[in-house]
């Protein structure tokens, strides 16, 4: 009715209620919006704890996120990085990227820590090394179009962008589902797989 996209409405709520420079409070405010105002396809707090635990265990220095959306997952990842780590996040929708950029900077992360790259993942991935300086990712978080998961994993492999022992965390592989990605990951012989059971966000 207002003509303002829900992502922009969520950001306006953040501006009014969140503490700038406090990533944890930014996420809490996002969660309040998701629970009480409008549903957003963010990771949410329940699955967020899985992400936080894996980041703590792995302590990755080079992180790639596919699917920035509003920046919730980006802030979640960035706040869990060890000192000196760098996060590259890729978003195909320019309007979502514009909101995410403001959210990421509001949370206190500069371009040296978080680089937001706007463009289709299939075009961005082959350019990550030469154009953006990502040599090999040791942690990849996939939360974009589920039909792109397998294609983009194989692109990362073919461009040798995965460090030895890299962790690939993919959201929503059971619902709405990424069956071809799951089958490949389980049968290609390159990965050890674990499914984390969780409810849908909010």
């Amino acid at each position: 009715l207002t003509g303002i996209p829900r992502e922009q409405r969520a950001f306006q709520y953040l501006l009014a209620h969140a503490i700038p420079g406090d990533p944890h409070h930014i996420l809490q405010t996002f969660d309040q919006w998701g629970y009480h105002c409008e549903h957003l396809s963010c990771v949410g707090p329940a699955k967020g704890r899985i992400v936080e635990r894996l980041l703590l265990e792995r302590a990755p220095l080079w992180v790639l996120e596919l699917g920035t959306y509003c920046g919730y997952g980006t802030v979640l990842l960035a706040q869990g990085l060890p000192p000196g780590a760098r996060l590259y996040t890729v978003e195909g929708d320019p309007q979502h990227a514009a909101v995410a950029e403001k959210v990421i900077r509001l949370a206190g992360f500069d371009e040296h820590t978080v680089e937001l790259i706007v463009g289709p993942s299939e075009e961005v991935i082959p350019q990550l090394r030469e154009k953006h300086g990502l040599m090999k990712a040791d942690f990849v978080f996939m939360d974009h179009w589920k039909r792109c998961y397998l294609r983009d994993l194989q692109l990362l492999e073919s461009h040798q962008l995965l460090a030895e022992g890299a962790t690939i965390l993919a959201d929503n592989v059971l619902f709405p589902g990424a069956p071809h990605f799951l089958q490949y990951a389980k049968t290609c012989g390159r990965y050890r797989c674990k499914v984390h059971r969780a409810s849908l966000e909010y």
Side-chain angles (χ1 to χ4, degrees), residues 4-133:
I4 302 171
R6 76 168 66 186
E7 295 80 16
Q8 188 64 42
R9 291 198 293 273
F11 177 68
Q12 289 172 353
Y13 183 82
L14 278 187
L15 280 179
H17 297 93
I19 301 170
D22 185 336
H24 183 68
H25 198 259
I26 296 278
L27 295 176
Q28 278 188 326
T29 309
F30 252 130
D31 292 335
Q32 287 172 356
W33 176 267
Y35 280 122
H36 304 296
C37 301
E38 291 181 279
H39 179 270
L40 290 171
S41 298
C42 302
V43 180
K47 290 189 286 187
R49 284 189 286 274
I50 298 170
V51 178
E52 289 171 331
R53 178 170 52 79
L54 286 170
L55 283 174
L56 194 63
E57 288 174 5
R58 305 291 195 272
L61 291 174
W62 300 94
V63 178
L64 174 64
E65 179 186 34
L66 299 176
T68 316
Y69 188 44
C70 291
Y72 183 107
T74 315
V75 172
L76 180 70
L77 289 165
Q79 75 167 359
L81 294 179
R86 185 161 171 77
L87 167 60
Y88 298 83
T89 183
V90 180
E91 174 54 50
D93 186 316
Q95 288 184 315
H96 291 167
V99 173
E101 180 85 42
K102 291 184 279 192
V103 169
I104 294 162
R105 306 311 168 209
L106 184 68
F109 300 108
D110 61 19
E111 291 86 352
H112 297 293
T113 304
V114 179
E115 181 178 345
L116 173 59
I117 305 165
V118 184
S121 55
E122 71 271 21
E123 295 178 12
V124 172
I125 289 170
Q127 301 175 336
L128 282 172
R129 181 174 287 116
E130 289 186 7
K131 194 171 179 183
H132 302 282

